[in-house]
Amino acid sequence: MLTTDQKEAILRVAGVATPAFPSPGVLWRQQWQHDAASGSKTSPQAGMDPGTAAKQWAQAINTLFVAYSAARTARSLRKAEEARRLSALRQLQCRARADTETGSAAASSARKARRPRRRSHAMG
């Protein structure tokens, strides 16, 4: 099982915007802003202790990772289904081409069998 830090690194590499880990300095600044402007919502983490903020951060990363994994799985399944369909179409195309060639050969043989032989009048 991956740690939250590993999940966050995978998300960052994949180009998904991830929330920054709440450092104590950031939490103190948010608390100060929250206290200075009472009633305002500067951040959902304002007024939290570092442990609660870290848990919310981890929950946000886990939620993003689950969504990312589901999207990746869906994309992989779509590609596999597309490859399966293309393979089936190619097989049908090859069979149709073989039937056409076999049908042409059979028709040619039938025409030859129906055609009377030419007799040469110049013999003799």
Side-chain angles (χ1 to χ4, degrees):
M1 193 155 141
L2 298 172
T3 65
T4 306
D5 290 334
Q6 290 170 327
K7 291 176 185 177
E8 194 251 347
I10 290 169
L11 290 170
R12 261 190 292 115
V13 168
V16 177
T18 58
F21 185 79
S23 66
V26 171
L27 291 174
W28 179 84
R29 205 169 26 255
Q30 289 174 349
Q31 178 65 42
W32 180 79
Q33 289 173 348
H34 184 20
D35 291 344
S38 61
S40 70
K41 289 191 168 191
T42 55
S43 170
Q45 296 171 341
M48 284 186 208
D49 66 294
T52 305
K55 285 180 185 175
Q56 283 193 350
W57 175 81
Q59 185 178 9
I61 294 295
N62 286 330
T63 302
L64 286 170
F65 191 77
V66 166
Y68 167 74
S69 297
R72 240 183 104 171
T73 302
R75 183 172 55 242
S76 177
L77 289 172
R78 280 193 303 271
K79 283 185 178 181
E81 178 62 19
E82 181 182 352
R84 186 191 68 77
R85 286 184 181 180
L86 284 173
S87 176
L89 287 173
R90 284 188 186 119
Q91 287 177 353
L92 286 173
Q93 185 180 21
C94 287
R95 285 185 196 143
R97 193 175 295 153
D99 290 345
T100 303
E101 290 171 1
T102 305
S104 296
S108 177
S109 296
R111 278 192 301 260
K112 287 179 184 176
R114 284 184 296 215
R115 207 177 317 152
R117 284 188 176 205
R118 293 185 184 177
R119 295 187 187 174
S120 174
H121 297 294
M123 287 180 75

